[in-house]
Structures are given as C-alpha cells and as structure tokens.
Amino acid sequence: LKEKTEDLKRERRLAEDLLHQMLPKSVAKQLRKCQKVEAENYEQVTIFFSDIVGFTSIAASCTPLQVVEMLNNLYICFDTRIESYDVYKVETIGDAYMVVSGLPERNGTKHADEIAKMSLDLVAAVRQVVIPHMPAGRLELRAGIHTGPCVAGVVGYKMPRYCLFGDTVNTASRMESTSLPQKIHISSATYEALLTDDAYEIELRGEIEVKGKGRMKTYWLLGNKNYSVQN
C-alpha cells in the first residue's frame, strides 16, 4: 500500500509538472479546483516576438518531418535559454516565438530589462542551432519588442490557453514584422523603459510606417554594456 501511494504521488507530480509547462501555476491551481479564471489587467509588461527569416522558403525545400525537427531543435535551444530570465513563454505558432515579462507574476520595472537581455541572447543563440538536413546552413532571427499594458486570461475549456490581449500585443508583433534579419527592433516605449539604468547600446532607426499604427519612431537594440552573450 505504501509503494502504491508513493507511485500515485510520483504520477501526480509528473502530471502537475506537465500542466505547469503549459499554464502558469496560479492558473493551473484554479482550473484544478474547477474555478473560473478571471482575466487580469497588467499596467506594464514587455512582449517579445520573433520569427525565422525565410522560413517559408526553407520549409518548401524540405519534408514536413525535417521542418518539425528543425523547429524542435530551435525551440529546445530557446526554451533552455529563457529559463535564465524572469520571463514567461506564451506560445509558439509555426516559426513564431512569443515571450512576455511582467506577467503572470509582476516584477515592477524589471520586465523591459529581462526581455532585452533575453532577446540579445536568443539572437546570438540562433546562429548556433544546427539544421539537421542543411548542416552548412544557419538560421536567422527577426525580433521585435514593445512595452505597454495588456490583459491576460484563459480562453476555452478544451485545451485551455493562457492568452494575452490588447494593443501592446499587436504593436510588439508589428515591431517583429518590420524588423530585419538578426536585428532586435524596439518601440519608443521599450526604449524609454531601457533608459533608466543606461545599460544598453541602442541606435535610432527613425520613423517608419507601421501597418495599423501610422508612423512610429523606433530603435535597434544592439547590446548591453555590462553583459556579453556567451554561447
């Protein structure tokens, strides 16, 4: 009986660990108790989006299995690296990778700094990812970051997802789509949030036309003066 009890406890821990990989612990706890998860408003968070440059062409030149293997290698690399930062991985859609800092656990004014350091790390790390079917090839990342308010909540009851809503999400996505290969494109809001400790090398990109937003003044995040990326 004691052995069976220990086995059950072990299985429960494994199930909980798996659940916590897909949903925040606080949300998972409420769902386990069959409670309604209320949407929550966050005044300031920083959101990161990235995608692979030329992914459509790469995917067209290989088999579906090779695409999955390539993305799995990439995401295992990214998932391992983001554990060093105070961030939450929201989701991956195809080759797009979305990460946020400042929720579900608030971290004061640290969110922009955490995402900035993480993004520099990921842009450097992507060059080390091996494409199994293209050993001589290397992937390139296009990244974008924006800071602002958003709402987070769980949608659906079959395969429930923890999702972010609001203009901040849209703007972060636009920063990514208007970025360039191996560049980190940041909005004025993120730029101002990073100015507080003067730790970053940032270059003005200038005013650009952003779909749905009009003209926006944006910047390139180049590096951190006090921190070098180690591969």
Side-chain angles (χ1 to χ4, degrees):
L1 184 62
K2 187 179 178 182
E3 283 179 9
K4 288 289 183 187
T5 304
E6 287 301 317
D7 286 343
L8 283 170
K9 284 182 181 178
R10 196 178 304 111
E11 288 298 325
R12 185 177 179 180
R13 278 198 302 271
L14 288 170
E16 285 182 354
D17 288 345
L18 181 60
L19 186 60
H20 295 157
Q21 294 291 338
M22 297 185 285
L23 291 167
K25 286 184 180 180
S26 55
V27 171
K29 188 176 179 182
Q30 291 176 71
L31 288 174
R32 280 205 310 273
K33 292 179 179 178
C34 298
Q35 296 174 348
K36 184 181 178 184
V37 181
E38 296 292 339
E40 196 166 352
N41 187 59
Y42 294 86
E43 289 182 13
Q44 284 282 295
V45 301
T46 297
I47 298 173
F48 167 94
F49 275 96
S50 71
D51 75 353
I52 298 169
V53 177
F55 177 73
T56 306
S57 301
I58 295 170
S61 66
C62 55
T63 68
L65 193 61
Q66 288 171 333
V67 173
V68 172
E69 194 175 6
M70 175 182 68
L71 288 178
N72 193 44
N73 283 357
L74 178 69
Y75 292 156
I76 286 173
C77 171
F78 282 9
D79 290 350
T80 303
R81 285 180 176 263
I82 68 171
E83 287 178 0
S84 303
Y85 308 95
D86 183 11
V87 299
Y88 177 78
K89 176 184 170 183
V90 182
E91 63 182 350
T92 58
I93 305 171
D95 64 316
Y97 195 81
M98 180 184 180
V99 183
V100 63
S101 182
L103 67 78
E105 302 298 327
R106 291 172 172 82
N107 57 5
T109 58
K110 286 173 53 185
H111 47 85
D113 180 52
E114 291 295 316
I115 288 287
K117 286 188 293 189
M118 179 208 75
S119 63
L120 290 166
D121 195 349
L122 297 190
V123 167
V126 73
R127 303 296 289 164
Q128 312 300 320
V129 176
V130 176
I131 311 172
H133 63 283
M134 293 168 58
R138 284 293 178 267
L139 297 175
E140 289 186 310
L141 209 64
R142 183 168 41 226
I145 305 173
H146 180 56
T147 300
C150 84
V151 171
V154 174
V155 292
Y157 70 95
K158 283 187 182 294
M159 293 183 67
R161 290 174 60 204
Y162 185 70
C163 297
L164 311 188
F165 303 93
D167 191 56
T168 300
V169 179
N170 299 333
T171 305
S173 179
R174 293 281 184 254
M175 290 298 99
E176 179 273 315
S177 62
T178 52
S179 186
L180 295 173
Q182 290 300 103
K183 289 276 197 177
I184 303 166
H185 192 205
I186 67 173
S187 66
S188 293
T190 302
Y191 168 72
E192 287 166 15
L194 293 175
L195 281 180
T196 51
D197 56 1
D198 191 34
Y200 289 92
E201 297 170 22
I202 299 172
E203 180 183 281
L204 175 67
R205 182 182 191 179
E207 281 200 356
I208 63 163
E209 189 69 32
V210 179
K211 186 179 177 182
K213 305 294 297 179
R215 296 196 68 77
M216 288 182 69
K217 189 178 182 181
T218 63
Y219 300 81
W220 297 121
L221 175 62
L222 304 178
N224 186 307
K225 300 170 188 174
N226 310 316
Y227 160 91
S228 71
V229 174
Q230 299 295 324
N231 284 292

